[in-house]
Amino acid sequence: MVQALVLEKKGELSLRDIDLPLEVGPDDVKIAIDTVGVCGSDVHYYTHGAIGSFVVREPMVLGHEAAGTITAVGVHVKNLKVGDRVCMEPGVPNMNSRATKLGIYNVDPDVRFWATPPIHGVLTPEVVHPAAFTYKLPDNVSFAEGAMVEPFAVGLQAATRARITPGDVGLVIGCGPIGIMTALAALAGGCARVYISDLSAPKLAIAGQYAGIHPVNITERKLADVIAAETEGWGADVVFEASGSPRAYDGIFDLVRPGGTLVLIGMPVEPTKFDVAAAIIKEARIETVFRYANNFDRAVNLIASGKVDLKPLISETFDFAQSIEAFDRAAKGLPDDVKLQIKLRG
């Protein structure tokens, strides 16, 4: 039995002992968890009990953004050793699936993803994970940054799907954690500048601390007017929709230049109207993002290089004993909060 943060059912969390498998297979590593980020999906399971077809039907350990230290390795593991500081990719596909063999393992229907029913997450002191999805952290990358690799990988997946050309002008709709990290990934990927829009002045102020990111408060200025003025009426080369709001799609192709790209990241929870004719008239390319594939190591490299600094996005860190408090705070959606983390080790 190990202690863990358990979602008992919708709206009910407890910090208690639970029986979790900790046997190390030949291709696995055991990791002492140090830091775990609180993700919006974790909070959504807490407050709503489901995300789409994924429904919490029995107690489930939360947490999937994590970093820690290896304490044991399987007999076949050669690239990692006891004592290595690591972060972990939370989705493990069927290695024999067609999707995996095509390199798009993130859309493998059999993927087992931490803290997605019925798979337990990692808000617990120790976990076992395949070495193939465990990544060594360079000495200059902290555990806190390591636990940010997972959400940053989503932004990196978006920038990769966008096929950015150096000098492009980008626009991110939605200034939550994923929106800000998408803007940072777009800059790292070659965008000359990136605009980011939202209703929340505090979150826009946080994003605006970064050179190259230009916040747009849509309560004060119409986004289409800003983009038209900033691009001489041409439009953004790449538009990333990261809010998940159905309202974001009203006139979205007014923001995209002719022949430009729209990348869909945010997941609307209700049917969304989509102006097909407007997309066709501009011959816009439309890309979609579901988690990430083959981007974790790139995310670590960018953070280690200093080109991407995620530390300003960590709003507060809670002790493991305060895990329920951390989730209650995240559920409030405070405007100054970007990323809350839970630290399991002193």
Side-chain angles (χ1 to χ4, degrees):
M1 300 286 281
V2 294
Q3 194 173 56
L5 180 69
V6 181
L7 176 60
E8 306 289 359
K9 59 184 179 182
K10 174 184 171 181
E12 184 181 330
L13 288 172
S14 62
L15 202 56
R16 65 169 173 88
D17 287 343
I18 187 172
D19 190 17
L20 297 175
L22 287 173
E23 182 180 346
V24 180
D27 299 305
D28 296 335
V29 293
K30 183 182 283 188
I31 302 137
I33 299 293
D34 183 281
T35 304
V36 178
V38 179
C39 176
S41 65
D42 294 320
V43 176
H44 200 85
Y45 282 124
Y46 174 34
T47 57
H48 292 76
I51 297 178
S53 60
F54 297 103
V55 180
V56 178
R57 304 187 190 281
E58 56 192 32
M60 179 181 76
V61 178
L62 290 172
H64 64 263
E65 305 173 359
T69 303
I70 291 179
T71 58
V73 298
V75 294
H76 294 166
V77 177
K78 306 299 182 190
N79 62 317
L80 296 166
K81 65 183 185 304
V82 171
D84 281 347
R85 300 164 58 258
V86 294
C87 63
M88 297 76 76
E89 189 165 353
V92 179
N94 174 354
M95 299 303 287
N96 296 312
S97 74
R98 291 178 69 176
T100 299
K101 287 189 279 188
L102 286 169
I104 50 173
Y105 59 85
N106 54 317
V107 292
D108 172 19
D110 295 332
V111 71
R112 295 169 59 84
F113 198 93
W114 282 340
T116 300
I119 309 302
H120 287 301
V122 293
L123 267 165
T124 185
E126 272 192 321
V127 298
V128 172
H129 199 59
F133 293 91
T134 302
Y135 302 83
K136 187 174 178 179
L137 295 176
D139 291 341
N140 67 331
V141 177
S142 67
F143 285 121
E145 291 171 293
M148 296 281 272
V149 169
E150 195 276 341
F152 181 57
V154 178
L156 204 55
Q157 180 84 356
T160 304
R161 300 284 288 180
R163 293 182 234 158
I164 293 165
T165 299
D168 275 353
V169 173
L171 165 64
V172 178
I173 300 171
C175 194
I178 296 299
I180 297 174
M181 291 193 217
T182 296
L184 292 171
L187 286 174
C191 278
R193 62 189 190 274
V194 178
Y195 298 87
I196 189 165
S197 68
D198 206 281
L199 302 160
S200 170
K203 284 189 169 55
L204 289 168
I206 293 167
Q209 296 177 73
Y210 290 98
I213 297 181
H214 303 269
V216 181
N217 190 326
I218 57 174
T219 67
E220 300 170 353
R221 296 183 289 170
K222 188 177 178 183
L223 184 56
D225 292 344
V226 173
I227 296 304
E230 295 290 334
T231 62
E232 299 180 327
W234 180 236
D237 297 290
V238 183
V239 175
F240 300 92
E241 203 307 289
S243 74
S245 170
R247 295 187 301 278
Y249 287 87
D250 294 337
I252 199 166
F253 290 103
D254 295 338
L255 308 169
V256 185
R257 72 160 170 86
T261 302
L262 173 63
V263 183
L264 309 183
I265 311 165
M267 187 83 77
V269 296
E270 57 192 81
T272 302
K273 289 192 291 185
F274 197 86
D275 193 341
V276 176
I280 289 174
I281 288 167
K282 284 193 170 176
E283 204 170 69
R285 179 167 57 87
I286 299 167
E287 296 281 351
T288 57
V289 171
F290 184 65
R291 297 172 179 159
Y292 33 74
N294 303 306
N295 269 322
F296 244 69
D297 50 351
R298 292 188 177 101
V300 172
N301 289 344
L302 277 171
I303 295 166
S305 74
K307 291 182 178 179
V308 174
D309 181 10
L310 302 180
K311 294 187 291 293
L313 304 183
I314 301 169
S315 303
E316 189 157 341
T317 303
F318 294 78
D319 292 333
F320 185 40
Q322 300 173 296
S323 293
I324 296 174
E325 180 185 334
F327 269 77
D328 286 338
R329 160 111 163 238
K332 293 176 183 176
L334 300 178
D336 289 311
D337 284 347
V338 178
K339 177 59 65 177
L340 304 178
Q341 292 188 330
I342 297 169
K343 192 166 176 64
L344 282 80
R345 296 175 190 278

